[in-house]
Amino acid sequence: MSIFKEHINRMSAYKPPLDGRDPKQHLLLDFNERTLPVSAAVEEALVAYIRDGRLQMYPAYGDIAEQIARYARVEADQVMITNGSDQGIDLVIRASSREGDEAIIPGPSFAMYLQCAKVENLVIHQPQYTREKGYPLQEVLGLINEKTRLITVANPNNPSGTILPREEIVTLAKAAPEAVILVDECYFEYCSVTVADLVAQYPNIVITRTFSKTWGIPSLRLGYIISARENILPLLNVRGPYDINQLAIVAIRAALANLDGVESYVDEVMQQSKPRLETYLDSKGIEYWPSGGNFLWVFFADPVSTEARLQAAGILVRPKLDGEGRLGLRITLGTLEQTEHLLAVLEGAVGV
Ligand SMILES: Cc1ncc(COP(=O)(O)O)c(C=O)c1O
C-alpha cells in the first residue's frame, strides 16, 4: 500500500549522471553547459550581494521580467521567470493537461517532457526523430486528435540538435489549436531560431528558455516562459512566489548588462569549435546529426570504447541511443582550445 498515486509509484526518477563531475579534473562536454566560468562582472555581483547582508530576506524580483522581455524582444507581460526551464516545462504540462489526455512527445528528446507527462498520467505518443528529416512532423500531424493537449518541440532538439523551421511550428499550432505547442528554446542563443514574435498571434504556443546553457549558471536555476499574456496570468497562479532564488536574479541582472561575454562565447563555439569538429568528423567519415546547438551527436564505429578512451583522458561526453537503438555520443562544444584538445584525444581514440 502506498500513500501516493499508483502511476507515480510505478515511475522511475529522472537521474542524470551528475556524480563525480569536476571542472578542475575533467573537460565537461557531457551536459551542454557553457564550458567557461561566468564573467568577472557576474561573479563580482554575486559576491557583492552575499556581502551585503541580505540573504535572510525572501527573494524579490523587481523588474527582471521587464529586463528579460527587452532582451527577448517581447512584451513584459509575455514573460514569466521560472526555476530553470525544467520548472517552466512542469508548470505548462501541469496547468494544461488532465489524466487521460494525449501528449505527443517525439523522441529521443529532453527527458523532462516525458517525466512531467507521466506524472499527469497522460497517454503518450512518441514518434521518432530521424537524421534525414529531423522532427517527425508528418507522424505528429497524423497523431493529433480531439484529446491531444500537448505537443513538444525542442528547438533545437537534445540530443539530435535538429531544428524544426518556424513555418512548421505554425503548421502544428494551426493543426492543434486546443493543444499546447511547447517550444523549448533552451539553446536559443546558439541558433537564434525563435517563435517568440509569434506568441500573440498563436496563443497555443508556449516557449521555455533558460539561462543554464549559454550564460553559465545552471547551478543557480533560472529560466523563463514566453507566451501570450492570457497564458502568463494562469501560469503565475501555479508558480510559487519565491520559486526562483535571489542569486540567480543577481547574476542575470549583471549578465544582461554585460552581453559581450555571452556573445563572444557563442561566436567561438558556433563559428570556430563546431566547424572544427565537423570538419574533423567529415574527414574521417564519421557520421553525426546536423545540429543547431552547442553540441553534436556523433556515431563512432565503437562508441563504448571511444567513450572509455575519452573518459580516461578526463573528457566527459554523454551516450544517447537513437530511435533504432544505435548508440551515439553527444559531445558539447566548448572553446576552440578545448575542441583542439578533444580532437587530439579522439585522434588516438578512433584509431584512424
Ligand atoms: C532541450 C532542453 N530543455 C531544457 C533543459 C533544462 O534546462 P534548465 O537547466 O533550464 O532546467 C535542457 C538541459 O539539458 C535541455 O537540453
Side-chain angles (χ1 to χ4, degrees):
M1 248 304 264
S2 164
I3 55 171
F4 298 119
K5 295 171 190 163
E6 209 185 305
H7 75 274
I8 303 255
N9 289 323
R10 281 199 309 267
M11 286 177 61
S12 43
Y14 169 32
K15 279 198 289 196
L18 291 160
D19 287 347
R21 303 175 77 234
D22 179 352
K24 296 205 171 66
Q25 280 180 31
H26 303 125
L27 176 53
L28 299 175
L29 305 183
D30 50 348
F31 273 73
N32 297 346
E33 297 153 324
R34 175 183 160 108
T35 58
L36 294 180
V38 291
S39 67
V42 171
E43 195 178 298
E44 280 158 24
L46 287 168
V47 171
Y49 185 85
I50 290 169
R51 293 215 171 117
D52 201 29
R54 297 207 235 167
L55 287 179
Q56 71 276 29
M57 289 168 59
Y58 277 100
Y61 306 130
D63 67 349
I64 195 68
E66 283 84 344
Q67 287 201 33
I68 293 173
R70 217 170 298 133
Y71 163 75
R73 301 194 182 157
V74 296
E75 301 297 323
D77 58 11
Q78 295 175 328
V79 168
M80 164 182 159
I81 56 169
T82 56
N83 189 304
S85 40
D86 283 1
Q87 188 191 27
I89 293 162
D90 180 40
L91 290 181
V92 170
I93 296 179
R94 261 203 287 156
S96 64
S97 306
R98 283 190 201 92
E99 183 156 287
D101 284 345
E102 296 194 13
I104 308 175
I105 303 179
S109 192
F110 180 51
M112 269 305 277
Y113 317 135
L114 274 184
Q115 190 75 12
C116 297
K118 285 182 184 168
V119 169
E120 299 310 313
N121 215 5
L122 306 185
V123 174
I124 300 169
H125 301 282
Q126 296 180 74
Q128 295 295 302
Y129 282 81
T130 56
R131 182 167 179 267
E132 292 64 38
K133 291 198 181 144
Y135 192 86
L137 183 68
Q138 292 313 319
E139 284 106 308
V140 171
L141 290 171
L143 284 163
I144 294 170
N145 65 48
E146 67 287 351
K147 286 192 174 163
T148 308
R149 296 289 296 141
L150 172 74
I151 301 175
T152 57
V153 183
N155 224 29
N157 183 43
N158 168 12
S160 65
T162 48
I163 293 182
L164 185 65
R166 279 160 56 89
E167 313 78 73
E168 298 186 345
I169 296 176
V170 168
T171 303
L172 286 176
K174 286 183 178 161
E178 307 285 308
V180 171
I181 313 299
L182 177 59
V183 184
D184 182 343
E185 295 186 354
C186 175
Y187 300 96
F188 161 71
E189 281 79 4
Y190 293 106
C191 67
S192 300
V193 174
T194 182
V195 285
D197 55 316
L198 300 179
V199 293
Q201 200 180 342
Y202 298 100
N204 58 334
I205 294 182
V206 182
I207 300 169
T208 52
R209 285 202 193 159
T210 184
F211 289 101
S212 289
K213 303 293 186 184
T214 317
W215 304 71
I217 57 156
S219 52
L220 299 180
R221 317 297 303 135
L222 180 61
Y224 56 105
I225 288 174
I226 301 175
S227 196
R229 177 174 179 274
E230 64 260 36
N231 297 331
I232 297 297
L233 295 174
L235 287 172
L236 282 167
N237 296 341
V238 189
R239 199 203 67 197
Y242 316 123
D243 284 357
I244 298 93
N245 84 76
Q246 190 76 58
L247 290 177
I249 304 295
V250 168
I252 286 312
R253 273 189 202 291
L256 287 171
N258 297 275
L259 284 177
D260 288 0
V262 166
E263 288 166 355
S264 60
Y265 180 75
V266 168
D267 279 354
E268 181 166 353
V269 168
M270 299 308 278
Q271 310 305 331
Q272 299 185 53
S273 288
K274 186 161 169 275
R276 180 77 181 93
L277 180 54
E278 287 170 340
T279 305
Y280 172 81
L281 295 171
D282 290 342
S283 75
K284 301 285 178 190
I286 300 166
E287 193 182 294
Y288 59 92
W289 287 42
S291 172
N294 62 332
F295 54 90
L296 283 182
W297 197 19
V298 185
F299 289 80
F300 296 96
D302 184 351
V304 174
S305 66
T306 304
E307 189 200 2
R309 293 278 296 274
L310 290 171
Q311 195 159 20
I315 300 177
L316 305 188
V317 297
R318 194 84 177 269
K320 293 273 177 185
L321 289 174
D322 74 4
E324 291 167 359
R326 283 199 315 155
L327 190 63
L329 299 182
R330 192 194 65 197
I331 304 180
T332 306
L333 294 150
T335 63
L336 185 58
E337 192 184 336
Q338 290 167 336
T339 304
E340 293 294 356
H341 176 56
L342 167 75
L343 295 188
V345 175
L346 268 183
E347 189 64 8
V350 295
V352 279

